[in-house]
Coordinates of all heavy atoms in Angstrom, one line a residue:
L263 N 4.5 -7.2 10.9 CA 5.1 -7.1 12.2 C 4.8 -5.9 12.9 O 5.0 -4.7 12.4 CB 6.6 -7.2 11.9 CG 7.5 -7.2 13.1 CD1 7.3 -8.3 14.0 CD2 8.9 -7.1 12.6
L264 N 4.3 -5.9 14.2 CA 4.0 -4.7 14.9 C 5.2 -4.0 15.4 O 6.1 -4.7 15.9 CB 3.2 -5.1 16.2 CG 2.8 -4.0 17.1 CD1 1.9 -3.0 16.5 CD2 2.1 -4.5 18.4
V265 N 5.3 -2.7 15.0 CA 6.5 -2.0 15.4 C 6.3 -1.2 16.6 O 7.2 -1.2 17.5 CB 6.8 -1.0 14.1 CG1 8.0 -0.1 14.5 CG2 7.1 -1.8 12.9
E266 N 5.2 -0.5 16.7 CA 4.9 0.3 17.9 C 3.4 0.6 18.0 O 2.7 0.4 17.0 CB 5.7 1.7 17.9 CG 5.3 2.5 16.9 CD 6.0 3.9 16.9 OE1 6.3 4.4 17.9 OE2 6.5 4.3 15.8
V267 N 3.0 1.1 19.2 CA 1.7 1.7 19.3 C 1.9 3.1 19.7 O 2.7 3.5 20.6 CB 0.9 1.0 20.5 CG1 -0.4 1.7 20.8 CG2 0.6 -0.5 20.1
K268 N 1.2 4.0 19.0 CA 1.4 5.4 19.2 C 0.1 6.2 19.0 O -0.8 5.7 18.4 CB 2.5 6.1 18.2 CG 2.1 6.1 16.8 CD 3.2 6.7 16.1 CE 2.8 6.8 14.5 NZ 3.8 7.6 13.8
D269 N 0.0 7.4 19.5 CA -1.1 8.3 19.3 C -1.0 9.0 17.9 O 0.1 9.6 17.6 CB -1.2 9.3 20.4 CG -1.8 8.8 21.7 OD1 -2.3 7.6 21.7 OD2 -1.6 9.4 22.7
V270 N -2.0 9.0 17.1 CA -2.2 9.7 15.9 C -3.5 10.5 16.0 O -4.5 9.9 16.1 CB -2.1 8.8 14.7 CG1 -2.3 9.6 13.4 CG2 -0.8 8.1 14.6
N271 N -3.4 11.9 15.9 CA -4.6 12.7 16.1 C -5.4 12.2 17.3 O -6.7 12.1 17.3 CB -5.5 12.5 14.9 CG -4.8 13.1 13.6 OD1 -4.0 14.1 13.7 ND2 -5.0 12.5 12.4
Q272 N -4.8 12.1 18.4 CA -5.3 11.7 19.8 C -6.0 10.4 19.7 O -6.9 10.2 20.5 CB -6.2 12.9 20.1 CG -5.5 14.2 20.3 CD -6.4 15.4 20.4 OE1 -7.7 15.3 20.1 NE2 -5.9 16.5 20.8
K273 N -5.7 9.5 18.9 CA -6.2 8.1 18.9 C -5.1 7.1 18.9 O -4.1 7.3 18.2 CB -7.1 8.0 17.6 CG -8.3 8.9 17.6 CD -9.2 8.7 16.4 CE -10.1 9.8 16.3 NZ -11.4 9.5 16.5
K274 N -5.3 6.0 19.7 CA -4.3 5.0 19.8 C -4.3 4.2 18.4 O -5.3 3.8 17.9 CB -4.6 4.1 20.9 CG -4.4 4.7 22.4 CD -2.9 4.6 22.6 CE -2.8 5.0 24.1 NZ -1.5 5.7 24.2
C275 N -3.0 4.1 18.0 CA -2.8 3.4 16.7 C -1.7 2.4 16.7 O -0.7 2.6 17.5 CB -2.6 4.4 15.5 SG -3.9 5.6 15.2
A276 N -1.8 1.4 15.9 CA -0.7 0.4 15.8 C 0.0 0.6 14.5 O -0.6 0.8 13.4 CB -1.3 -1.0 15.9
V277 N 1.3 0.6 14.5 CA 2.1 0.8 13.4 C 2.8 -0.5 13.0 O 3.4 -1.2 13.8 CB 3.3 1.8 13.6 CG1 4.1 2.0 12.3 CG2 2.7 3.2 14.1
F278 N 2.5 -1.0 11.7 CA 3.0 -2.3 11.4 C 4.0 -2.1 10.2 O 3.8 -1.3 9.3 CB 1.8 -3.2 10.8 CG 0.9 -3.6 11.9 CD1 -0.2 -2.8 12.1 CD2 1.1 -4.8 12.6 CE1 -1.1 -3.2 13.2 CE2 0.2 -5.2 13.6 CZ -0.9 -4.3 13.9
N279 N 5.0 -3.0 10.1 CA 5.9 -3.2 8.8 C 5.1 -4.1 8.0 O 4.6 -5.1 8.5 CB 7.2 -3.7 9.2 CG 8.2 -2.6 9.6 OD1 8.0 -1.5 9.4 ND2 9.3 -3.0 10.2
A280 N 4.9 -3.7 6.7 CA 4.1 -4.6 5.8 C 4.9 -4.8 4.5 O 5.7 -4.0 4.1 CB 2.8 -3.9 5.5
T281 N 4.6 -5.9 4.0 CA 5.2 -6.4 2.7 C 3.9 -6.8 1.8 O 3.1 -7.7 2.2 CB 6.2 -7.5 2.7 OG1 7.3 -7.0 3.5 CG2 6.6 -7.9 1.3
I282 N 3.8 -6.2 0.6 CA 2.7 -6.6 -0.3 C 3.4 -7.1 -1.6 O 4.2 -6.4 -2.2 CB 1.8 -5.4 -0.6 CG1 1.1 -4.9 0.7 CG2 0.8 -5.7 -1.7 CD1 0.2 -3.8 0.5
L283 N 3.0 -8.3 -2.0 CA 3.5 -9.0 -3.2 C 2.3 -9.2 -4.0 O 1.2 -9.7 -3.6 CB 4.1 -10.3 -2.9 CG 5.3 -10.2 -1.9 CD1 5.7 -11.7 -1.6 CD2 6.4 -9.5 -2.5
A284 N 2.3 -8.7 -5.4 CA 1.2 -8.8 -6.3 C 1.8 -9.3 -7.6 O 2.8 -8.9 -8.0 CB 0.5 -7.6 -6.5
T285 N 1.1 -10.3 -8.2 CA 1.5 -10.8 -9.5 C 0.1 -10.8 -10.4 O -0.9 -11.2 -10.0 CB 1.9 -12.2 -9.4 OG1 3.0 -12.2 -8.4 CG2 2.4 -12.8 -10.7
G286 N 0.3 -10.3 -11.6 CA -0.8 -10.3 -12.5 C -1.1 -11.6 -13.2 O -0.5 -12.7 -12.9
K287 N -1.9 -11.6 -14.2 CA -2.3 -12.8 -15.0 C -1.1 -13.2 -15.9 O -0.3 -12.4 -16.3 CB -3.5 -12.4 -15.9 CG -4.7 -12.0 -15.1 CD -5.7 -11.6 -16.2 CE -7.0 -11.0 -15.4 NZ -8.0 -10.6 -16.4
P288 N -1.0 -14.5 -16.2 CA 0.1 -15.1 -17.1 C 0.1 -14.3 -18.4 O 1.2 -14.1 -18.9 CB -0.2 -16.5 -17.2 CG -1.1 -16.8 -16.0 CD -1.9 -15.6 -15.7
D289 N -1.0 -13.9 -19.0 CA -1.0 -13.2 -20.3 C -0.8 -11.8 -20.1 O -0.6 -11.0 -21.2 CB -2.4 -13.5 -21.1 CG -3.5 -12.9 -20.3 OD1 -3.5 -12.7 -19.1 OD2 -4.6 -12.7 -21.0
N290 N -0.6 -11.2 -19.0 CA -0.3 -9.7 -18.8 C 0.4 -9.6 -17.5 O -0.1 -9.1 -16.6 CB -1.6 -8.9 -18.8 CG -1.3 -7.5 -18.9 OD1 -0.2 -7.0 -19.2 ND2 -2.3 -6.6 -18.8
P291 N 1.6 -10.1 -17.4 CA 2.4 -10.2 -16.2 C 2.6 -8.8 -15.6 O 3.0 -7.9 -16.2 CB 3.7 -10.9 -16.5 CG 3.5 -11.4 -17.8 CD 2.4 -10.7 -18.5
L292 N 2.4 -8.7 -14.3 CA 2.6 -7.5 -13.5 C 3.2 -8.0 -12.2 O 2.6 -8.9 -11.5 CB 1.3 -6.7 -13.2 CG 1.3 -5.6 -12.2 CD1 2.2 -4.4 -12.7 CD2 0.0 -5.1 -11.7
E293 N 4.3 -7.4 -11.7 CA 4.9 -7.8 -10.5 C 5.1 -6.6 -9.6 O 5.7 -5.6 -10.1 CB 6.2 -8.5 -10.7 CG 6.0 -10.0 -11.4 CD 7.3 -10.7 -11.5 OE1 8.3 -10.2 -10.9 OE2 7.3 -11.6 -12.3
V294 N 4.6 -6.6 -8.4 CA 4.9 -5.5 -7.4 C 5.3 -6.2 -6.1 O 4.8 -7.2 -5.7 CB 3.5 -4.8 -7.2 CG1 3.8 -3.6 -6.1 CG2 3.0 -4.2 -8.5
E295 N 6.4 -5.6 -5.5 CA 6.8 -6.0 -4.2 C 7.1 -4.7 -3.5 O 8.0 -4.0 -3.6 CB 8.2 -6.7 -4.3 CG 8.7 -7.2 -3.0 CD 10.0 -8.0 -3.1 OE1 10.1 -8.7 -4.1 OE2 10.8 -8.0 -2.1
A296 N 6.1 -4.3 -2.6 CA 6.2 -3.1 -1.8 C 6.3 -3.3 -0.3 O 5.7 -4.3 0.2 CB 4.9 -2.3 -2.1
H297 N 7.2 -2.5 0.3 CA 7.4 -2.6 1.7 C 7.2 -1.3 2.4 O 7.5 -0.2 1.7 CB 8.9 -3.0 2.0 CG 9.3 -4.3 1.2 ND1 9.1 -5.5 1.7 CD2 9.9 -4.4 0.0 CE1 9.6 -6.4 1.0 NE2 10.1 -5.8 -0.1
G298 N 6.8 -1.3 3.5 CA 6.5 0.0 4.3 C 5.8 -0.1 5.6 O 5.6 -1.2 6.1
A299 N 5.2 1.0 6.0 CA 4.5 1.1 7.2 C 3.0 1.3 7.0 O 2.6 2.0 6.1 CB 5.0 2.3 8.1
V300 N 2.2 0.6 7.8 CA 0.7 0.8 7.8 C 0.3 1.1 9.1 O 0.7 0.4 10.1 CB 0.1 -0.5 7.2 CG1 -1.4 -0.3 7.3 CG2 0.5 -0.9 5.8
V301 N -0.5 2.1 9.3 CA -0.9 2.6 10.6 C -2.4 2.3 10.7 O -3.2 2.8 9.9 CB -0.7 4.1 10.8 CG1 -1.2 4.5 12.2 CG2 0.8 4.4 10.7
I302 N -2.8 1.5 11.7 CA -4.3 1.1 12.0 C -4.7 1.6 13.3 O -4.1 1.6 14.3 CB -4.3 -0.5 12.0 CG1 -3.6 -1.1 10.8 CG2 -5.8 -0.9 12.3 CD1 -4.4 -0.9 9.6
E303 N -5.9 2.3 13.3 CA -6.5 2.9 14.5 C -7.1 1.6 15.3 O -7.8 0.7 14.8 CB -7.7 3.7 14.1 CG -8.3 4.4 15.3 CD -9.5 5.4 14.9 OE1 -9.6 5.8 13.8 OE2 -10.3 5.6 15.9
L304 N -6.7 1.6 16.6 CA -7.0 0.4 17.4 C -8.5 0.2 17.6 O -9.0 -0.9 17.7 CB -6.2 0.4 18.7 CG -4.6 0.3 18.6 CD1 -4.0 0.4 19.9 CD2 -4.3 -1.1 17.9
A305 N -9.2 1.3 17.9 CA -10.5 1.3 18.3 C -11.5 0.9 17.2 O -12.6 0.2 17.4 CB -11.0 2.6 18.9
T306 N -11.1 1.1 15.9 CA -12.0 0.8 14.8 C -11.4 -0.1 13.7 O -12.2 -0.5 12.8 CB -12.4 2.2 14.2 OG1 -11.1 2.8 13.6 CG2 -13.1 3.2 15.0
C307 N -10.2 -0.4 13.8 CA -9.5 -1.2 12.8 C -9.4 -0.5 11.5 O -9.1 -1.1 10.4 CB -10.0 -2.6 12.7 SG -9.7 -3.6 14.2
R308 N -9.5 0.8 11.5 CA -9.4 1.6 10.2 C -8.0 1.9 9.9 O -7.2 2.2 10.8 CB -10.2 2.9 10.3 CG -11.7 2.8 10.5 CD -12.3 4.2 10.7 NE -13.7 4.2 10.7 CZ -14.4 5.2 11.1 NH1 -13.9 6.2 11.7 NH2 -15.8 5.1 11.0
T309 N -7.7 1.8 8.6 CA -6.4 2.2 8.2 C -6.2 3.7 8.2 O -7.1 4.4 7.5 CB -6.0 1.7 6.8 OG1 -6.2 0.3 6.8 CG2 -4.7 2.1 6.3
I310 N -5.3 4.3 8.9 CA -5.2 5.7 9.0 C -4.2 6.2 8.0 O -4.4 7.3 7.4 CB -4.7 6.2 10.5 CG1 -5.6 5.7 11.5 CG2 -4.4 7.7 10.6 CD1 -7.1 6.3 11.3
E311 N -3.1 5.5 7.8 CA -2.1 5.9 6.8 C -1.3 4.7 6.4 O -1.2 3.7 7.1 CB -1.2 7.1 7.2 CG -0.4 6.8 8.4 CD 0.4 8.0 8.8 OE1 -0.3 9.0 9.3 OE2 1.7 7.9 8.8
A312 N -0.7 4.7 5.2 CA 0.2 3.7 4.6 C 1.2 4.3 3.8 O 0.8 5.2 2.9 CB -0.6 2.6 4.0
T313 N 2.4 3.9 3.8 CA 3.4 4.4 2.9 C 4.2 3.2 2.5 O 4.9 2.6 3.4 CB 4.4 5.4 3.5 OG1 3.6 6.5 4.0 CG2 5.4 5.9 2.5
L314 N 4.2 2.8 1.2 CA 4.8 1.6 0.7 C 5.6 2.0 -0.5 O 5.2 2.7 -1.3 CB 3.8 0.6 0.4 CG 2.8 0.1 1.5 CD1 1.6 -0.6 0.9 CD2 3.6 -0.7 2.5
T315 N 6.8 1.3 -0.6 CA 7.6 1.5 -1.8 C 8.2 0.2 -2.3 O 8.3 -0.7 -1.5 CB 8.8 2.6 -1.5 OG1 9.6 1.9 -0.5 CG2 8.3 4.0 -1.1
G316 N 8.5 0.1 -3.6 CA 9.3 -1.0 -4.1 C 9.2 -1.1 -5.5 O 8.6 -0.2 -6.2
P317 N 9.8 -2.1 -6.1 CA 9.9 -2.2 -7.6 C 8.6 -2.7 -8.2 O 7.8 -3.4 -7.5 CB 11.0 -3.3 -7.8 CG 11.0 -4.1 -6.5 CD 10.6 -3.2 -5.4
I318 N 8.3 -2.3 -9.4 CA 7.2 -2.7 -10.1 C 7.6 -3.0 -11.6 O 8.5 -2.3 -12.1 CB 6.0 -1.6 -10.1 CG1 4.8 -2.1 -10.9 CG2 6.5 -0.2 -10.7 CD1 3.6 -1.2 -10.7
S319 N 7.1 -4.0 -12.2 CA 7.4 -4.4 -13.5 C 6.2 -4.9 -14.2 O 5.3 -5.5 -13.6 CB 8.6 -5.3 -13.7 OG 8.3 -6.5 -13.1
M320 N 6.0 -4.7 -15.5 CA 5.0 -5.3 -16.3 C 5.4 -5.7 -17.7 O 6.4 -5.1 -18.2 CB 3.8 -4.3 -16.3 CG 4.0 -3.1 -17.0 SD 2.6 -1.9 -17.0 CE 1.6 -2.7 -18.2
L321 N 4.8 -6.5 -18.3 CA 5.1 -7.0 -19.7 C 3.7 -7.3 -20.4 O 2.7 -7.8 -19.8 CB 5.8 -8.3 -19.6 CG 6.2 -9.0 -21.0 CD1 7.2 -8.1 -21.7 CD2 6.8 -10.3 -20.7
S322 N 3.5 -6.8 -21.6 CA 2.3 -6.8 -22.3 C 2.6 -7.2 -23.8 O 3.6 -6.6 -24.3 CB 1.4 -5.6 -22.1 OG 0.2 -5.7 -22.8
T323 N 1.7 -7.7 -24.5 CA 1.8 -8.0 -25.9 C 0.4 -7.6 -26.6 O -0.6 -7.9 -26.2 CB 2.1 -9.4 -26.2 OG1 3.2 -9.8 -25.6 CG2 2.2 -9.7 -27.8
D324 N 0.7 -6.6 -27.5 CA -0.5 -6.1 -28.3 C -0.3 -6.2 -29.8 O 0.7 -5.6 -30.3 CB -0.8 -4.7 -27.9 CG -2.1 -4.1 -28.5 OD1 -2.9 -4.9 -28.9 OD2 -2.1 -2.9 -28.6
Q325 N -1.1 -7.0 -30.4 CA -0.9 -7.1 -31.9 C 0.5 -7.6 -32.3 O 1.1 -7.0 -33.2 CB -1.4 -5.9 -32.6 CG -2.8 -5.6 -32.4 CD -3.3 -4.3 -33.1 OE1 -2.4 -3.6 -33.8 NE2 -4.5 -4.1 -33.0
G326 N 1.1 -8.5 -31.6 CA 2.4 -9.0 -31.9 C 3.6 -8.1 -31.4 O 4.8 -8.5 -31.6
T327 N 3.3 -7.0 -30.8 CA 4.3 -6.1 -30.2 C 4.4 -6.3 -28.7 O 3.4 -6.2 -28.0 CB 4.1 -4.6 -30.6 OG1 4.0 -4.5 -32.0 CG2 5.2 -3.7 -30.1
E328 N 5.6 -6.5 -28.3 CA 5.8 -6.7 -26.8 C 6.2 -5.4 -26.2 O 7.1 -4.7 -26.7 CB 6.8 -7.8 -26.5 CG 7.0 -8.1 -25.1 CD 7.9 -9.3 -24.9 OE1 7.4 -10.4 -25.1 OE2 9.1 -9.1 -24.6
Y329 N 5.5 -5.1 -25.1 CA 5.9 -3.8 -24.3 C 6.3 -4.2 -22.9 O 5.7 -5.2 -22.3 CB 4.7 -3.0 -24.2 CG 4.0 -2.5 -25.4 CD1 3.0 -3.2 -26.1 CD2 4.6 -1.3 -26.1 CE1 2.5 -2.8 -27.3 CE2 4.0 -0.9 -27.3 CZ 3.0 -1.7 -27.9 OH 2.4 -1.3 -29.1
S330 N 7.2 -3.5 -22.4 CA 7.7 -3.8 -21.0 C 7.9 -2.5 -20.3 O 8.4 -1.5 -21.0 CB 8.9 -4.7 -20.9 OG 10.0 -4.1 -21.5
A331 N 7.8 -2.6 -19.1 CA 8.1 -1.3 -18.2 C 8.5 -1.8 -16.8 O 8.1 -2.7 -16.3 CB 6.9 -0.5 -18.1
S332 N 9.4 -1.0 -16.3 CA 9.8 -1.3 -14.8 C 10.1 0.0 -14.2 O 10.4 1.0 -14.9 CB 10.9 -2.2 -14.8 OG 12.0 -1.7 -15.5
G333 N 10.0 0.0 -12.9 CA 10.4 1.3 -12.1 C 10.2 1.0 -10.7 O 10.1 -0.1 -10.2
N334 N 10.0 2.2 -10.0 CA 9.8 2.1 -8.5 C 8.4 2.8 -8.2 O 8.0 3.8 -8.8 CB 10.9 2.9 -7.8 CG 12.2 2.2 -7.9 OD1 12.3 1.0 -7.5 ND2 13.2 2.9 -8.3
L335 N 7.8 2.0 -7.3 CA 6.3 2.5 -6.9 C 6.4 3.2 -5.6 O 7.2 2.7 -4.7 CB 5.5 1.2 -6.7 CG 4.1 1.3 -6.0 CD1 3.2 2.0 -7.0 CD2 3.6 0.1 -5.7
L336 N 5.7 4.2 -5.4 CA 5.6 4.9 -4.2 C 4.1 5.1 -4.0 O 3.4 5.7 -4.8 CB 6.3 6.3 -4.1 CG 5.9 7.2 -2.9 CD1 6.2 6.5 -1.6 CD2 6.5 8.5 -3.1
L337 N 3.5 4.5 -2.9 CA 2.1 4.5 -2.6 C 2.0 5.2 -1.2 O 2.6 4.6 -0.3 CB 1.5 3.1 -2.6 CG 0.1 3.0 -2.0 CD1 -0.9 3.7 -3.0 CD2 -0.3 1.6 -1.8
A338 N 1.4 6.3 -1.1 CA 1.2 7.0 0.1 C -0.3 7.3 0.3 O -0.9 8.0 -0.6 CB 2.0 8.2 0.2
I339 N -0.9 6.9 1.4 CA -2.3 7.1 1.7 C -2.5 7.7 3.1 O -1.9 7.2 3.9 CB -3.1 5.8 1.5 CG1 -3.0 5.3 0.1 CG2 -4.5 6.0 1.9 CD1 -3.5 3.8 0.0
R340 N -3.3 8.7 3.2 CA -3.7 9.2 4.5 C -5.2 9.3 4.6 O -5.8 9.8 3.7 CB -3.0 10.5 4.8 CG -3.5 11.0 6.2 CD -2.7 12.1 6.7 NE -1.4 11.6 7.1 CZ -0.2 12.2 7.1 NH1 -0.2 13.5 6.8 NH2 0.8 11.7 7.5
S341 N -5.8 8.7 5.5 CA -7.3 8.7 5.6 C -7.8 9.6 6.7 O -7.2 9.7 7.8 CB -7.8 7.3 5.9 OG -7.4 6.4 4.9
Q342 N -8.9 10.4 6.6 CA -9.5 11.1 7.7 C -10.9 10.7 7.8 O -11.6 10.7 6.7 CB -9.4 12.6 7.3 CG -8.0 13.1 7.3 CD -7.9 14.6 7.1 OE1 -8.5 15.1 6.2 NE2 -7.1 15.3 7.9
Y343 N -11.4 10.4 9.0 CA -12.8 9.9 9.1 C -13.5 10.9 10.0 O -12.9 11.5 10.9 CB -12.7 8.5 9.9 CG -12.1 7.5 9.0 CD1 -10.7 7.1 9.2 CD2 -12.8 6.8 8.0 CE1 -10.1 6.2 8.5 CE2 -12.1 5.7 7.3 CZ -10.8 5.5 7.5 OH -10.1 4.5 6.8
G344 N -14.7 11.1 9.7 CA -15.5 12.0 10.5 C -17.0 11.6 10.4 O -17.4 10.7 9.6
T345 N -17.9 12.3 11.0 CA -19.3 12.2 10.9 C -19.9 12.8 9.6 O -19.3 13.9 9.2 CB -20.1 12.7 12.2 OG1 -19.8 14.0 12.2 CG2 -19.6 11.9 13.4
A346 N -20.8 12.2 9.0 CA -21.5 12.8 7.8 C -22.2 14.0 8.1 O -22.9 14.2 9.2 CB -22.4 11.8 7.1
K347 N -22.2 15.0 7.2 CA -23.0 16.3 7.5 C -24.2 16.3 6.6 O -24.3 15.7 5.6 CB -22.1 17.4 7.2 CG -20.9 17.5 8.0 CD -20.1 18.7 7.7 CE -18.8 18.8 8.6 NZ -18.1 19.8 8.4

């Protein structure tokens, strides 16, 4: 969902609300549901930044022992593009 268009580092960018859902393989279940903002540079369609948070859980079995983990995911990315030197 487009939230706004704004200048980031003197470039026009679109800010979107995003939801990412991910599920792992049946034999190694992983579930992620992350929500947040993604900023895309309009002229190049490059991702400038993204900040997503949400619950994460996983379940694994190794040699008959079952392991499980759960918690909160924070993913924050900022990209800088320039010419090669």
Side-chain angles (χ1 to χ4, degrees):
L263 177 64
L264 177 64
V265 175
E266 68 177 318
V267 175
K268 67 178 187 176
D269 285 345
V270 176
N271 296 328
Q272 301 166 343
K273 297 180 190 251
K274 289 280 186 212
C275 295
V277 180
F278 293 93
N279 275 342
T281 298
I282 296 176
L283 304 173
T285 304
K287 300 176 187 177
D289 61 336
N290 193 10
L292 169 72
E293 293 183 12
V294 177
E295 181 178 331
H297 306 274
V300 178
V301 181
I302 307 290
E303 184 181 341
L304 293 177
T306 62
C307 295
R308 291 176 172 161
T309 301
I310 301 300
E311 61 185 65
T313 305
L314 302 163
T315 61
I318 183 171
S319 64
M320 62 181 288
L321 179 66
S322 181
T323 302
D324 184 24
Q325 298 179 356
T327 302
E328 187 173 278
Y329 302 91
S330 65
S332 62
N334 290 309
L335 171 73
L336 168 59
L337 171 71
I339 298 171
R340 178 165 288 153
S341 302
Q342 294 181 314
Y343 299 95
T345 56
K347 295 181 180 184

